[in-house]
Amino acid sequence: MTQLQLDNQHNAIIIIPSEMPNDDDFELWAQLFLHGPEIVIGEFAVGADRHQCRFTYAQQSFNLNFEHYSNSIWINGEGIEAEHLLAALAHYFLTLLQQ
């Protein structure tokens, strides 16, 4: 089961999936993870060591990041208002995961 940890020190939500996606599967994994009525998926960016998916929640922009070298997945907000919504966003994802 996927676990979430709110990291207030770094203003991020740390995602610990039951199975880490590989590089080629991140876009599909992100679409499945971000599937929810209050989420609007934006653009994907693919780099040599980090992939990113932009999305909106409560009219604020966020980034879902995947770094395959460190096997890390996290969400950060774009701006102060988005950062203030991280706890609510984490709660929203936990609610979706329990359904």
Side-chain angles (χ1 to χ4, degrees), residues 10-30:
H10 297 103
N11 291 322
I13 300 170
I14 308 300
I15 302 167
I16 305 165
S18 54
E19 187 173 325
M20 190 66 67
N22 63 39
D23 292 348
D24 297 333
D25 297 333
F26 175 71
E27 188 170 341
L28 175 62
W29 185 92

Side-chain angles (χ1 to χ4, degrees), residues 5-97:
Q5 296 175 352
L6 184 60
D7 183 343
N8 289 318
Q9 181 179 0
H10 297 103
N11 291 322
I13 300 170
I14 308 300
I15 302 167
I16 305 165
S18 54
E19 187 173 325
M20 190 66 67
N22 63 39
D23 292 348
D24 297 333
D25 297 333
F26 175 71
E27 188 170 341
L28 175 62
W29 185 92
Q31 289 175 347
L32 294 172
F33 180 78
L34 295 172
H35 182 75
E38 296 184 35
I39 302 288
V40 177
I41 297 174
E43 63 194 27
F44 281 89
V46 177
D49 62 345
R50 182 184 291 180
H51 303 321
Q52 186 178 72
C53 175
R54 294 185 76 207
F55 68 95
T56 58
Y57 167 77
Q59 301 176 347
Q60 296 298 317
S61 296
F62 296 87
N63 297 306
L64 174 63
N65 302 281
F66 169 61
E67 187 177 82
H68 69 270
Y69 289 126
S70 64
N71 279 334
S72 302
I73 301 175
W74 72 96
I75 294 172
N76 65 287
E78 292 183 4
I80 301 292
E81 292 179 21
E83 288 177 355
H84 288 300
L85 287 174
L86 285 173
L89 181 59
H91 179 73
Y92 177 72
F93 282 125
L94 287 171
T95 302
L96 289 177
L97 290 170

